[in-house]
Amino acid sequence: MIFIKKLILSWLVVCLMFLPAQAGFATDTPSESSDYLVKFNGAAEKGLIQAFGVEEEDILHEYELLSVKHINLTGQQAQGLERHPHVDMVEENAEVQALGQTVPWGVPHVQGTAAQEQGHTGDNVKVAILDTGVDNTHEDLADNVKGGHSVFDDSANSDPYYDANGHGTHVAGTVGAVNNDLGVIGVAYDADLYAVKVLNNDGSGTLAGIAEGIEWSIENDMDIINMSLGGSQGSSILEEFSDLAFDEGLLVVAAAGNSGNRGGNNDTVGYPAKYDSVIAVAAVDENNSRATFSSTGPAVEIAAPGVNVLSAVPGNDYAAFNGTSMASPHVAGVAAQVWQAKPELSNAELRELLNETAKGLGPAHQYGHGLVQSLDAIGN
């Protein structure tokens, strides 16, 4: 009797903390001047302003549609005007900033931004995200998620677009979050993403489920498979499915694993990343140092950003995660950019090109060929 062991993912979540900016009076320094917006209840009479010692040059702007003036006032003048019965409100002129798109540090680190600027955005390249599903209602993913499949029959997990875990949505965002002036941007923001749910909402799955997801990817003409998952137990059948995908022309990318140690000298790469047909991706930080959790061994093929990686999570939200799970989609995204630029390449030639143009970082068993570099591969 064959028992199929579950593959369990784990990762560290980095919490983002922020404090909102607030506007208000500097009541402790009434003699210092600042800009204020003053609304009068009716036409503003110069005599009222002059009564508080406001000079003509202190009136910076007079609005036409509302009885409002932009005035330079001391704190004492502002407080006096605020108490006056003919003044509705006095507000300090606080700064505002554009609310726009954030470029996660990993995207330019792999030359993704530079490649985008030259028009290489992964357009028409199909990337299968074998994971916990992908939230296709997310503002940064809705336009790029083109289809999907779930290997589960139960109602809680049968929908490939329901990602209660968040891991798959995060991975998908790194590959191809849309360039839409919102949230974040992915490496290959025009790539076609496919949500292939092989891990349940708890983040676990089986070898059989992963094999089914690979088979679906082959049958549905995917170009790239990203598997940000793994375990210590291999399977000859899973290896054969991985080999079949590569033989059929797909590029297969997987996380090397999070079983590394500080010394980084053990062979800890998991499956399916350990198979010859799969690119095993290690994780580095912003300084190109290997993440201490990143698995090591002779199967490590290439490295990518995997520490404090900001991306999409369900509910139109964003979070930063750590893990080789975050590194793998950087490589998948770069591969999509390069394949768009060089569609004549076979998957084997593309793989070789990514390795040849990677930026060397250190020992091969820790970094493989080094940091994946998109523009260098495109220009090679």
Side-chain angles (χ1 to χ4, degrees):
M1 187 174 185
I2 299 175
F3 292 91
I4 300 176
K5 297 190 176 181
K6 286 188 175 181
L7 305 180
I8 301 176
L9 284 172
S10 62
W11 63 87
L12 300 175
V13 180
V14 178
C15 296
L16 301 178
M17 301 178 66
F18 64 93
L19 292 174
Q22 296 180 339
F25 288 112
T27 55
D28 55 335
T29 55
S31 62
E32 293 183 5
S33 63
S34 186
D35 290 357
Y36 291 84
L37 293 170
V38 182
K39 183 175 185 294
F40 301 85
N41 56 10
E45 296 183 4
K46 290 185 178 180
L48 175 58
I49 299 176
Q50 292 171 347
F52 287 91
V54 178
E55 303 292 338
E56 191 69 30
E57 60 268 21
D58 292 326
I59 302 174
L60 305 177
H61 183 73
E62 297 187 36
Y63 295 87
E64 296 180 1
L65 299 181
L66 292 175
S67 186
V68 174
K69 293 183 186 293
H70 179 196
I71 312 174
N72 185 265
L73 303 169
T74 65
Q76 187 174 13
Q77 289 171 327
Q79 291 173 22
L81 281 169
E82 186 183 30
R83 299 188 188 102
H84 198 280
H86 292 301
V87 175
D88 282 343
M89 61 189 71
V90 178
E91 297 177 342
E92 190 169 3
N93 185 31
E95 289 187 0
V96 296
Q97 295 178 339
L99 298 177
Q101 189 168 259
T102 297
V103 180
W105 72 269
V107 178
H109 206 70
V110 298
Q111 297 182 337
T113 306
Q116 291 166 0
E117 291 171 351
Q118 294 193 11
H120 310 302
T121 59
D123 190 32
N124 290 321
V125 179
K126 297 179 178 180
V127 184
I129 310 295
L130 272 61
D131 217 290
T132 60
V134 178
D135 178 7
N136 70 340
T137 66
H138 196 288
E139 61 188 1
D140 256 342
L141 293 169
D143 291 342
N144 280 358
V145 178
K146 305 299 184 181
H149 172 72
S150 176
V151 304
F152 301 99
D153 294 328
D154 62 290
S155 59
N157 293 285
S158 60
D159 184 357
Y161 311 118
Y162 179 63
D163 179 19
N165 185 283
H167 188 270
T169 301
H170 195 278
V171 168
T174 296
V175 176
V178 180
N179 183 16
N180 58 0
D181 296 326
L182 296 170
V184 297
I185 189 171
V187 177
Y189 60 71
D190 281 331
D192 295 337
L193 305 178
Y194 290 80
V196 184
K197 191 176 178 79
V198 300
L199 302 176
N200 64 23
N201 293 326
D202 294 326
S204 63
T206 65
L207 299 173
I210 298 169
E212 182 181 335
I214 294 174
E215 182 179 63
W216 184 92
S217 300
I218 297 170
E219 292 176 339
N220 287 271
D221 300 320
M222 296 295 107
D223 298 308
I224 300 169
I225 293 174
N226 185 86
M227 294 186 284
S228 289
L229 50 81
S232 58
Q233 182 70 32
S235 158
S236 296
I237 292 177
L238 180 59
E239 183 175 15
E240 287 196 16
F241 272 105
S242 299
D243 293 348
L244 179 60
F246 190 75
D247 292 343
E248 291 292 324
L250 285 73
L251 190 73
V252 188
V253 185
N258 299 338
S259 300
N261 55 38
R262 192 167 296 278
N265 295 316
N266 298 327
D267 185 0
T268 56
V269 176
Y271 299 92
K274 205 165 189 174
Y275 300 136
D276 291 341
S277 54
V278 180
I279 298 175
V281 185
V284 298
D285 63 17
E286 293 185 63
N287 298 315
N288 285 335
S289 297
R290 180 187 70 91
T292 55
F293 57 75
S294 185
S295 290
T296 55
V300 172
E301 186 163 336
I302 206 161
V307 177
N308 197 27
V309 174
L310 182 67
S311 188
V313 292
N316 283 337
D317 209 349
Y318 302 87
F321 291 170
N322 295 339
T324 55
S325 282
M326 286 60 255
S328 182
H330 281 91
V331 175
V334 166
Q337 288 184 312
V338 178
W339 230 342
Q340 179 205 348
K342 297 187 172 188
E344 73 281 0
L345 294 179
S346 69
N347 61 337
E349 291 169 336
L350 174 59
R351 182 177 184 176
E352 183 178 2
L353 180 60
L354 294 178
N355 290 332
E356 285 178 351
T357 56
K359 179 181 179 180
L361 298 179
H365 69 285
Q366 296 182 348
Y367 300 97
H369 291 87
L371 180 67
V372 67
Q373 298 285 269
S374 183
L375 199 61
D376 288 349
I378 291 169
N380 189 273

